[in-house]
């Protein structure tokens, strides 16, 4: 039984649990998505997802409830980790001006710089068909006040781009997506992540 | 910032984007603010968004007069001051206030009974807008009428500006009870319920199957303490709005932070006890039966 934890601080947690359960089903693997709110729960899972939400709120809750350091330790032990939208910001080593201005504490697990709200406000939020390295057909990607990955280095590699802006990157078994694969009924990207467990 | 992209080739303002935006607020606290300084306190406390309005409900209640959309200058100041989403209130039916808020870059409009209603017949046709709307409801029928008009998020109406959570509890319990009652019904019975609660049949049927509203559902109206916020979470809401409760209290910043943490730890009494300690005096509050009928905000809208 593979257990994938969804960090349940703030954001669209139930959507990720549903997506994980459906993806495991499609893969024919026994597994489930579970909420993670404590250090002990963090120790009993095989992979972890940082959901979408507000990165400022999530980072404060991670820090004040002692999940921040344990998450870093677990990832360094090799536990696969995926961050979507706000979650992708927290995975970054460097944040742009909005991240710095709000004093958001990043986990620093991926060699990339991420700019928050890079495409604009909700008025500018958008959907588009996205080509992703490794997927045969394009992916319908939902960008909500989305960040953009403006730089990657070392072993962090881009998997999807919109013009010059990276919107998905991978570093070993760590994945950053600046959009929301949990909001559409296409579980290919969850499967890509879960196959690392 | 300063991204160099032609975004016009993409799809904007879809229902998925509107409802998706609301989902990103789940498990969070949205705080009423009247200016940039309050917005910064809210962001630092961990609010997921701020709600811009001219006066907090407690002041609207005590000062009277027509309550309108906030001054665009104030809204611009708030948008510049914080990085989290900025919502703002428009009067019921006042679609031009909503158009102005969209033009200002506001992320979500609250078509709110806290302001003086502008249209005696109709709510705003919310599907005409790119940005999403949140609306108040007292029962399932009202919630589904708003969703049918395009609302991407529902909140309880409660009784704003009272510091008294009883009406928010009443409205949430009512929605939960009515949802539960749909569970065993067949289509003919659902159709009869739809007629009775004046809601579209398709939405009633969807709720019967989902056993919850098809959009995010928050608590609002009278929440003043961390315990109030946790109470509403235990009653099944997805997050909370706090209005006068923060900036009408003795010491807003620690109270704001405590309410954020209470929403996270809503089902852990020991932690709630710790969070609730030493916050100073909450806003005074009003007994609902002391409010004259014509001053009740929740009866505005239909």
């Amino acid at each position: 039984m593979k257990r994938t934890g969804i960090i349940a601080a703030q954001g669209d947690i139930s959507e990720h649990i549903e997506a994980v359960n459906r993806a495991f089903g499609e893969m024919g693997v026994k597994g489930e998505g579970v909420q993670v709110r404590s250090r002990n729960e963090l120790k009993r899972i095989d992979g972890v997802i940082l959901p979408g939400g507000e990165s400022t709120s999530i980072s404060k809750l991670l820090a004040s409830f002692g999940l921040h350091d344990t998450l870093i330790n677990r990832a360094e032990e090799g536990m696969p980790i995926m961050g979507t939208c706000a979650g992708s910001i927290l995975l970054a080593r460097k944040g742009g001006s909005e991240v710095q201005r709000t004093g958001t504490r990043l986990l620093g697990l991926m060699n990339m710089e991420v700019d928050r709200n890079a495409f604009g406000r909700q008025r500018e939020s958008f959907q588009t068909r996205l080509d992703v390295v490794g997927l045969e057909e394009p992916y319908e990607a939902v960008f909500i006040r989305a960040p953009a990955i403006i730089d990657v280095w070392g072993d962090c590699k881009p998997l999807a781009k919109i013009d010059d802006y990276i919107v998905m990157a991978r570093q070993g078994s760590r994945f950053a997506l600046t959009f929301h694969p949990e909001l559409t009924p296409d579980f290919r990207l969850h499967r890509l992540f879960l196959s690392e467990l | 910032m300063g991204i160099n992209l032609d975004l016009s080739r993409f799809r904007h303002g879809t229902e998925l984007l509107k409802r998706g935006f609301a989902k990103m607020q789940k498990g969070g606290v949205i705080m009423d603010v009247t200016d940039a300084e309050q917005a910064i306190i809210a962001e630092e406390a961990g609010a997921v968004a701020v709600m811009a309005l001219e006066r907090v409900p407690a002041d609207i209640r005590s000062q009277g007069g027509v309550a309108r959309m906030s001054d665009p200058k104030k809204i611009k100041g708030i948008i510049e001051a914080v990085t989290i989403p900025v919502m703002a209130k428009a009067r019921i039916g006042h679609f031009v206030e909503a158009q102005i808020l969209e033009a200002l870059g506001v992320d979500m409009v609250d078509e709110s009974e806290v302001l003086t209603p502008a249209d005696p017949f109709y709510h705003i046709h919310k599907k005409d807008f790119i940005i999403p709307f949140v609306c108040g409801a007292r029962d399932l029928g009202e919630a589904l009428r708003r969703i049918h008009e395009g609302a991407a998020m529902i909140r309880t109406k409660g009784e704003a500006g009272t510091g008294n959570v009883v009406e928010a509890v009443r409205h949430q319990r009512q929605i939960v009870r009515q949802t539960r009652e749909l569970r065993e019904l067949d289509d003919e019975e659902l159709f009869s319920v739809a007629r009775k609660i004046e809601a579209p049949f398709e939405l009633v049927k969807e709720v019967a199957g989902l056993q919850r509203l098809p959009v995010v559902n928050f608590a609002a109206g009278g929440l003043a303490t961390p315990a109030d916020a946790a109470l509403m979470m235990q009653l099944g809401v997805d997050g909370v709005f706090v209005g006068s409760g923060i900036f009408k209290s003795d010491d807003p910043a620690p109270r704001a932070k405590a309410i954020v943490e209470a929403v996270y730890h809503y089902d852990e009494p020991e932690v709630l006890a710790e969070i609730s300690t030493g916050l100073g005096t909450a806003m005074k509050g009003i007994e609902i039966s002391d409010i004259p009928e014509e001053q009740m905000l929740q009866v505005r809208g239909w």
Side-chain angles (χ1 to χ4, degrees), chain B residues 11-254:
Chain B
R11 275 165 290 140
H12 302 274
T14 63
E15 193 172 273
L16 184 61
L17 288 164
K18 290 176 174 178
R19 291 185 179 187
F21 170 82
K23 286 177 178 174
M24 297 313 140
Q25 308 295 307
K26 289 199 298 180
V29 181
I30 300 167
M31 301 182 191
D32 274 3
V33 299
T34 57
D35 57 31
E37 289 82 76
Q38 290 185 352
I40 290 167
I41 293 173
E43 182 177 52
E44 282 175 358
V48 287
V50 291
M51 174 70 70
L53 74 176
E54 174 182 62
R55 294 171 280 169
V56 294
D59 289 335
I60 293 173
R61 202 173 271 291
S62 61
Q63 294 162 4
V66 173
R68 310 181 179 91
M69 171 187 85
S70 181
D71 178 350
K73 192 178 164 195
K74 284 272 174 72
I75 294 172
K76 283 183 187 167
I78 292 167
I79 285 175
E80 278 165 28
V82 295
T83 65
I84 52 178
V86 175
M87 305 181 178
K89 288 188 192 288
R91 284 179 267 177
I92 289 175
H94 206 316
F95 55 86
V96 173
E97 283 189 348
Q99 289 166 0
I100 291 170
L101 294 174
E102 181 169 87
L104 286 168
V106 161
D107 296 292
M108 181 176 241
V109 175
D110 183 358
E111 185 183 20
S112 178
E113 70 282 1
V114 169
L115 307 187
T116 310
D119 190 320
F121 306 112
Y122 305 114
H123 281 253
I124 297 171
H125 184 61
K126 293 165 270 288
K127 289 180 180 165
D128 284 347
F129 289 78
I130 292 170
I131 58 171
F133 280 70
V134 54
C135 291
R138 285 170 300 173
D139 55 39
L140 186 61
E142 192 171 14
L144 297 184
R145 287 193 291 281
R146 297 294 85 79
I147 292 168
H148 182 67
E149 293 158 358
M153 181 174 182
I154 293 294
R155 55 171 176 75
T156 60
K157 283 182 163 175
E159 189 59 28
T162 59
N164 190 340
V165 77
V166 65
E167 295 301 300
V169 169
R170 185 194 309 279
H171 301 158
Q172 175 61 14
R173 284 202 180 277
Q174 176 68 9
I175 288 172
V176 168
R177 184 185 309 118
Q178 288 178 294
T179 301
R180 208 184 292 133
E181 282 167 3
L182 299 178
R183 188 160 21 200
E184 302 294 321
L185 305 188
D186 61 25
D187 277 11
E188 287 81 357
E189 292 167 312
L190 289 173
F191 186 77
S192 159
V193 172
R195 269 188 12 184
K196 192 169 132 221
I197 66 171
E198 299 180 52
F201 169 74
E202 293 304 329
L203 283 172
V204 172
K205 188 168 172 167
E206 190 179 356
V207 170
L210 288 173
Q211 279 299 299
R212 60 155 294 143
L213 292 177
V215 300
V216 167
N217 177 32
F218 269 45
L223 285 70
T225 66
D228 288 348
L231 171 67
M232 296 309 299
M233 291 297 289
Q234 288 200 28
L235 290 175
V237 298
D238 297 311
V240 306
F241 286 88
V242 185
S244 322
I246 290 173
F247 290 102
K248 281 286 152 189
S249 72
D250 272 0
D251 195 358

Side-chain angles (χ1 to χ4, degrees), chain A residues 6 26 34-35 42 62 87 97 99 103 111 120 126-127 141 147 165 186:
Chain A
I6 320 298
E26 287 180 3
V34 294
Q35 290 196 24
L42 205 47
L62 288 183
S97 59
V99 173
N111 291 327
F126 63 96
Q127 278 177 250
Y165 301 96
D186 178 347

